[in-house]
Amino acid sequence: MPVFEYAPAPESRAVVDIAPSYGLFIDGEFGEAGDGKVFKTLSPSSEEVLSEVAQAGAEDVDRAVKAARKAFTTWSALPGSERAKYLFRIARIIQERSRELAVLESLDNGKPIRESRDSDLPLVAAHFFYYAGWADKLAYAGYGTDPKPLGVAGQIIPWNFPLLMLAWKIAPALATGNTVVLKPAETTPLSALFFADICRQAGLPKGVVNIITGDGSTGAELVAHPGIDKVAFTGSTEVGKAIARTVAGTRKKVTLELGGKAANIVFDDAPIDQAVEGIISGIFFNQGHVCCAGSRLLVQESVQDELLDALKRRMGTLRLGDPLDKNTDIGAINSAEQLARIRALADAGEAEGAERWAPACELPSSGYWFAPTLFTGVTQAHRIAREEIFGPVLSVLTFRTPEEAVAKANNTPYGLSAGIWTEKGSRILWMANKLRAGIVWSNTFNKFDPASPFGGYKESGYGREGGRHGLEAYLAGAAQPTSERSEREGERDR
Amino acid sequence: MPTTVPAYGKEAAERLASMADVTADDRALRRFLHGLPGVDAVGLQARAATLGTRSIKTTAKAYAIDLAISMIDLTTLEGADTPGKVRSLCAKGINPDPTDRTVPQVAAICVYGDMVATAKEALKGSGIHVAAVATAFPSGRAALPVKLADTRDAVAAGADEIDMVIDRGAFLSGRYLEVFEEIRQVKEACVREDGTAAHLKVIFETGELQTYDNVRRASWLAMLAGADFIKTSTGKVAVNATPPVTLVLLEAVRDFRAAVGVQVGVKPAGGIRTSKDAIKYLVMVNETLGGEWLSPDWFRFGASSLLNDLLMQRQKLSTGRYSGPDYVTVD
């Protein structure tokens, strides 16, 4: 039998120039942390040290917030059309530098270049273009005729989509006239620091965007700082709860995008081949490091065997390895810590009696790797059906009727996303109304667009990012958060 | 009329026979075909596009180029075809690049029925098959006895393979059993006097079937009726083979073998002109069906100009430089 071996097709590292060390970007300048502390950032696919970055302390956070406060006066007073010019300029620079940024992101995060190049970067640019378009039209966004910015936004982003999460946070904040202090994740700070350089390249006024690197303690300082008016956080539910406790009783506005345990529901009349692709992209996209990942597959019993056969066959074709190879489908796990967590939960799945399966898959000898894994015979009582794994691990459950599918899908502390696969349009609409999730995809999964709002129910957080709804979180006097409204509407049909 | 000798094993023949109830009458057949899983167009197109982004370089590219050459049904289907034109095409099929004897020969020469004898003679001893289009190609608009006579004529002239077109009118108006019967009878007409049979490729003209659901149904219909190969297009309409349509065919042959145990080949035809495109199709075969279909026995390209682009790419790989169209033969 002939074998079609794909020769390695690595993207060149030469397009990106990583400095041996980076400082904090405050008031338009890079500088060391006050106490000179630094930490290293690794390439998760090789454990190679990429660079050293400053660890911001309380004093640095204070400096950054003050710089943002000072810049707010002039930035918020600019006409929307002027702010739009800067945002459009940033968007175009991102497009021009997209190859460099994609390689950088794959190096620092471990995600395949195919995804950073074809998915992350185009969306990053699209978000800046989209919100640039809103900057001079805020009066028509539905939040009053003269909506005002909040002030200084403290933004904390996760390591799974470093540059994309930055875009989701910074673009609407700037478009609405706010200034920002952003802290990227400890394991993936580099693209944010490159973004700081892009801000300079675009001639953005000093202090409008400040990037401070550091670990959780830096984030905690930022959230607690009295000089910020708004906290925007994407990350774990645990940290989200701590943030909510910190800001409770203050005047600060908060949006939280937290964990998820999405149900991907496949009916027996689904387009099977496309459903398999949707399941694959739902859970194995970005190594499963996606808060809206379709980590619970709910399949109708009558097609279970057929679907699982097809899914396993397809999983066997996934290519795991060097993130910079253009033919890689699955890259490295972001950190040793995350790998340990995935392993622990997968072991718990086995210990609790679920059946584990993974395709024959050779893992590289250095770096953090986890083979795409499938658990069958999972029940609602298993930990792997309840806890967010944030890795390439899919739990398969079954159902018999649409009512049962809804009940199981909603039986989770989370509510970020869900997927429905059926050829029956009326069932899609019926289910979408019943599912308590911020996003419901039908006959597709993990599709993002700047014009589409994103956010969760229950422990998946509150507030919406993206779309017109995403402006609301950065405007004063706007109506109550969309998610609270929809939560209550959801109550009625419980 | 002689009965069909199945090319596949006894067990597979029995399993196929066990599915006879789905072709018992028009209603049963319609129920079966409409019960196949649907095709979501957006998802299908996205998958085909993703497969098209695989980066095939160096050794993999060299392998793919030679494989693609060996899978070509080098085709001339013009009203103006002459014996001379067919003979020169045959010579090219045997020896595609006169400057490089390591180039593999093509799989078959595809011609109109009246050219079969000429092609057969020109290809003698080469092992290259002669494929003949039959059944009132390309429109398929003739009475069944005429189509059968067309087929028998080509087989008698020595055709190794018959490329038939289905009656799209009958298919689109839901007369599935009529299409099924037609394919079955053409398959019987492929049987030679010595009991062996020409390979039957069934052309759907997917550009006229319009929906991917129709393409999947047509694929199963043809395979149930005994097609050895299923083929997208005639190359004579505006929309011919596309990656998504071919992907539906690949999925259908995969599912058919899983269900019935019979392996069927796939042939995209029309509009595939560049090496880059051909390699994308091979990636699609590789990742949908695997190595079992990566051979001229199970996958073909229906093409006329593709060969020259493959040869130019091959020259580029061996010399490091691009030459130009004057460094390969016109036919």
Side-chain angles (χ1 to χ4, degrees):
Chain A
M1 192 167 86
V3 179
F4 188 1
E5 291 273 11
Y6 301 165
E11 176 64 88
S12 169
R13 271 186 74 154
V15 294
V16 56
D17 188 12
I18 303 173
S21 71
Y22 287 94
L24 309 169
F25 184 71
I26 297 173
D27 207 17
E29 302 294 336
F30 278 106
E32 285 181 24
D35 55 11
K37 278 192 186 162
V38 293
F39 62 95
K40 292 176 168 52
T41 182
L42 301 178
S43 175
S45 62
S46 63
E47 299 174 59
E48 167 203 359
V49 175
L50 293 173
S51 188
E52 219 169 57
V53 296
Q55 160 83 33
E59 180 209 330
D60 305 304
V61 171
D62 187 54
R63 264 196 313 131
V65 173
K66 282 187 173 137
R69 172 64 54 198
K70 192 163 137 245
F72 176 69
T73 323
T74 46
W75 179 252
S76 60
L78 284 180
S81 57
E82 282 302 307
R83 291 197 303 271
K85 281 185 193 170
Y86 288 106
L87 287 171
F88 277 124
R89 206 179 290 161
I90 289 171
R92 286 194 303 268
I93 296 171
I94 286 168
Q95 284 185 324
E96 282 159 15
R97 294 177 65 172
S98 65
R99 186 151 169 244
E100 173 194 3
L101 293 167
V103 172
L104 176 75
E105 198 80 323
S106 285
L107 278 171
D108 201 21
N109 170 283
K111 64 172 64 196
I113 186 78
R114 194 166 71 78
E115 290 176 6
S116 54
R117 178 196 63 193
D118 299 345
S119 178
D120 292 36
L121 263 299
L123 274 171
V124 170
H127 268 85
F128 279 98
F129 278 122
Y130 177 79
Y131 279 111
W134 270 118
D136 61 351
K137 303 174 193 72
L138 297 175
Y140 310 99
Y143 302 117
T145 51
D146 188 22
K148 297 290 187 216
L150 297 171
V152 177
Q155 306 179 320
I156 301 170
I157 56 171
W159 45 259
N160 57 344
F161 293 93
L163 200 53
L164 183 59
M165 291 301 105
L166 174 148
W168 282 25
K169 296 273 185 293
I170 291 186
L174 298 195
T176 45
N178 299 270
T179 56
V180 307
V181 178
L182 177 129
K183 186 195 90 67
E186 190 185 355
T187 59
T188 56
L190 294 181
S191 52
L193 294 164
F194 272 59
F195 180 78
D197 184 52
I198 289 171
C199 291
R200 291 210 291 203
Q201 201 183 335
L204 192 71
K206 287 180 176 183
V208 172
V209 169
N210 303 276
I211 310 277
I212 54 169
T213 46
D215 57 14
S217 65
T218 310
E221 290 289 348
L222 180 60
V223 170
H225 196 289
I228 59 167
D229 305 288
K230 145 93 191 173
V231 175
F233 172 74
T234 297
S236 71
T237 292
E238 191 191 337
V239 176
K241 284 178 180 173
I243 290 174
R245 275 193 290 270
T246 307
V247 299
T250 71
R251 62 185 168 77
K252 292 172 191 173
K253 280 184 91 171
V254 191
T255 45
L256 301 171
E257 303 285 2
L258 310 176
K261 194 70 191 174
N264 209 352
I265 305 158
V266 180
F267 285 93
D268 58 5
D269 67 342
I272 293 287
D273 289 306
Q274 287 74 49
V276 166
E277 288 308 314
I279 296 163
I280 293 282
S281 82
I283 186 61
F284 301 123
F285 177 63
N286 203 34
Q287 297 74 246
H289 300 332
V290 185
C291 45
C292 51
S295 53
R296 286 184 299 152
L297 173 62
L298 294 182
V299 54
Q300 195 155 14
E301 264 181 19
S302 46
V303 285
Q304 183 188 196
D305 292 344
E306 187 184 345
L307 186 78
L308 285 178
D309 285 348
L311 185 59
K312 287 178 177 177
R313 184 179 58 224
R314 176 70 177 87
M315 282 171 72
T317 67
L318 290 169
R319 302 166 65 89
L320 178 145
D322 180 9
L324 284 189
D325 192 311
K326 291 168 199 159
N327 292 328
T328 293
D329 298 317
I330 297 194
I333 301 300
N334 185 254
S335 64
E337 191 190 353
Q338 184 59 27
L339 180 60
R341 179 178 160 74
I342 297 169
R343 281 184 177 152
L345 275 164
D347 292 346
E350 246 175 327
E352 290 175 13
E355 196 181 327
R356 179 178 184 156
W357 184 90
C361 183
E362 206 177 306
L363 301 182
S365 51
S366 63
Y368 317 126
W369 303 92
F370 197 88
T373 300
L374 179 78
F375 276 101
T376 49
V378 181
T379 72
Q380 288 292 100
H382 285 128
R383 275 182 75 194
I384 50 170
R386 307 206 68 80
E387 295 181 32
E388 186 180 36
I389 302 176
F390 223 63
V393 181
L394 178 65
S395 300
V396 183
L397 298 95
T398 58
F399 69 89
R400 289 156 298 181
T401 62
E403 285 77 10
E404 188 184 352
V406 170
K408 282 187 168 168
N410 286 342
N411 180 216
T412 165
Y414 296 109
L416 194 50
S417 66
I420 307 167
W421 298 83
T422 173
E423 289 274 275
K424 207 173 168 76
S426 59
R427 185 185 286 148
I428 292 171
L429 298 174
W430 178 83
M431 291 233 23
N433 275 328
K434 297 274 180 198
L435 290 170
R436 294 171 55 73
I439 306 153
V440 179
W441 283 293
S442 69
N443 291 336
T444 189
F445 210 92
N446 268 349
K447 286 277 181 290
F448 304 97
D449 190 280
S452 170
F454 183 97
Y457 278 55
K458 299 190 271 185
E459 293 208 11
S460 291
Y462 41 79
R464 292 291 178 265
E465 291 183 295
R468 188 182 59 80
H469 303 70
L471 296 166
E472 182 182 27
Y474 291 94
L475 292 172
Q480 57 175 321
T482 321
S483 56
E484 284 175 25
R485 272 206 309 272
S486 40
E487 279 279 354
R488 274 208 296 283
E489 280 159 16
E491 294 298 326
R492 282 204 302 270
D493 45 46
R494 265 234 221 147
Chain B
M1 189 168 291
T3 50
T4 310
V5 184
Y8 27 86
K10 188 164 168 269
E11 199 183 327
E14 277 167 11
R15 285 174 75 182
L16 191 56
S18 75
M19 293 191 75
D21 55 336
V22 308
T23 55
D25 57 48
D26 219 7
R27 190 180 294 180
L29 186 54
R30 181 180 300 112
R31 234 183 345 246
F32 174 77
L33 295 176
H34 286 253
L36 293 167
V39 183
D40 183 78
V42 175
L44 174 79
Q45 287 163 354
R47 174 68 180 146
T50 304
L51 286 168
T53 65
R54 288 291 192 215
S55 185
I56 305 300
K57 302 286 179 211
T58 61
T59 52
K61 188 173 179 183
Y63 172 81
I65 286 175
D66 278 5
L67 185 60
I69 292 172
S70 75
M71 288 172 162
I72 288 180
D73 281 4
L74 196 57
T75 300
T76 183
L77 294 171
E78 292 165 20
D81 282 344
T82 61
K85 158 91 179 172
V86 170
R87 274 194 289 271
S88 70
L89 200 68
C90 291
K92 176 152 183 160
I94 295 169
N95 183 20
D97 185 347
T99 67
D100 186 349
R101 299 278 160 172
T102 64
V103 178
Q105 61 182 32
V106 303
I109 301 294
C110 183
V111 292
Y112 275 115
D114 62 332
M115 287 295 171
V116 168
T118 309
K120 196 73 191 164
E121 175 67 26
L123 292 170
K124 195 176 279 178
S126 68
I128 297 179
H129 287 187
V130 174
V133 294
T135 68
F137 181 95
S139 70
R141 302 222 75 95
L144 183 58
V146 177
K147 294 179 179 178
L148 295 177
D150 193 12
T151 306
R152 280 193 286 267
D153 181 50
V155 173
D160 306 290
E161 301 169 2
I162 294 296
D163 289 27
M164 74 168 283
V165 289
I166 64 164
D167 181 341
R168 283 85 78 189
F171 183 90
L172 289 171
S173 56
R175 303 197 311 271
Y176 297 133
L177 198 62
E178 194 176 315
V179 181
F180 174 86
E181 267 305 309
E182 191 171 284
I183 298 170
R184 208 182 54 75
Q185 291 194 33
V186 173
K187 168 115 181 168
E188 283 180 2
C190 286
V191 178
R192 305 185 189 97
E193 280 179 1
D194 63 1
T196 60
H199 253 55
L200 178 64
K201 306 199 198 99
V202 178
I203 308 172
F204 303 137
E205 200 68 292
T206 50
E208 291 185 352
L209 297 188
Q210 298 287 336
T211 71
Y212 296 120
D213 285 330
N214 274 345
V215 174
R216 176 167 291 185
R217 288 169 194 149
S219 299
W220 276 81
L221 177 62
M223 292 187 288
L224 286 170
D228 298 300
F229 255 76
I230 51 178
K231 176 178 169 183
T232 59
S233 327
T234 59
K236 298 287 185 192
V237 294
V239 179
N240 291 290
T242 63
V245 150
T246 308
L247 187 52
V248 174
L249 264 58
L250 296 175
E251 290 168 352
V253 300
R254 179 197 68 199
D255 296 344
F256 188 75
R257 196 183 68 169
V260 184
V262 176
Q263 186 163 340
V264 173
V266 174
K267 177 179 172 184
I272 305 165
R273 294 192 178 86
T274 66
S275 305
K276 207 170 179 174
D277 281 347
I279 291 171
K280 285 178 183 175
Y281 280 92
L282 292 180
V283 166
M284 211 152 62
V285 175
N286 189 39
E287 299 204 22
T288 310
L289 303 174
E292 288 157 294
W293 265 270
L294 277 179
S295 116
D297 292 341
W298 303 109
F299 192 79
R300 296 280 181 84
F301 289 106
S304 49
S305 58
L306 171 65
L307 180 57
N308 272 359
D309 193 68
L310 287 164
L311 293 174
M312 283 192 278
Q313 285 292 330
R314 203 176 185 280
Q315 288 173 356
K316 197 263 170 180
L317 279 182
S318 58
T319 65
R321 287 177 296 280
Y322 282 106
S323 47
D326 287 343
Y327 292 81
V328 289
T329 57
V330 287
D331 61 25

